[in-house]
Amino acid sequence: MATNRTFTMLKPDATGAGNTGKIIDRMIEAGFTIKAMKWTQLSLKEAQAFYAVHAERPFFGELTAYMSGGPIVAMILEKDNAVEDFRTLIGSTNPQEAAPGTIRADFAESIAANAVHGSDSDENAAIEGAFYFSERELA
Ligand code: IDP
Ligand code: MG
């Protein structure tokens, strides 16, 4: 059910530092089930499309250059209350403000290179998942 799913990306700092497996382990230990997973890299245009909601923000150029600069791992995760519970698991956007034990507190490098993405609503989880995965992969 869509309401029990969220979408995440491991960002280029996480894949580049060799933290992919450790971060995925955190997600599984927290009770999330992987429904789809893809190792890929975004072009700048694709990063701009994915983050279009932030187009007017001052950090848009930095964010999209960063997100297209290395490999990412896109994943659809399932769990009760997935969107909210996943945001709690990853912690605040700025790792200096992220609660101890959260993924961003333990793995993020900076506010831009903050290890993981997590959808902020059920609606955006569905949109973001469909950006990466075909209907068959989403089944
Ligand atoms: P979120 O990822 O915690 O939902 P958003 O506000 O949606 O945070 O921002 C999207 C992404 O943009 C962040 O995860 C981070 O990578 C980047 N970002 C947010 N604020 C800043 C900033 O002030 N400077 C640079 N990058 C930022
Ligand atoms: Mg966000």
Side-chain angles (χ1 to χ4, degrees), residues 37-135:
M37 179 161 72
K38 190 174 286 185
W39 177 286
T40 186
Q41 184 164 344
L42 295 168
S43 68
L44 180 59
K45 275 195 169 168
E46 288 167 336
Q48 289 166 342
F50 183 86
Y51 283 110
V53 292
H54 294 311
E56 304 306 321
R57 308 278 285 274
F59 57 80
F60 183 68
E62 180 190 354
L63 172 63
T64 54
Y66 168 68
M67 287 300 296
S68 58
I72 62 105
V73 180
M75 302 167 70
I76 309 265
L77 301 175
E78 196 165 79
K79 184 186 177 298
D80 291 347
N81 203 34
V83 167
E84 192 184 341
D85 286 3
F86 192 74
R87 298 284 305 196
T88 302
L89 179 70
I90 68 177
S92 300
T93 308
N94 183 347
Q96 293 183 336
E97 293 165 10
T102 58
I103 289 173
R104 282 170 167 167
D106 290 345
F107 296 103
E109 287 177 7
S110 67
I111 191 164
N114 59 359
V116 285
H117 170 84
S119 302
D120 61 8
S121 67
D122 291 341
E123 187 192 3
N124 284 335
I127 292 168
E128 291 167 357
F131 185 92
Y132 283 95
F133 296 102
S134 69
E135 216 167 295

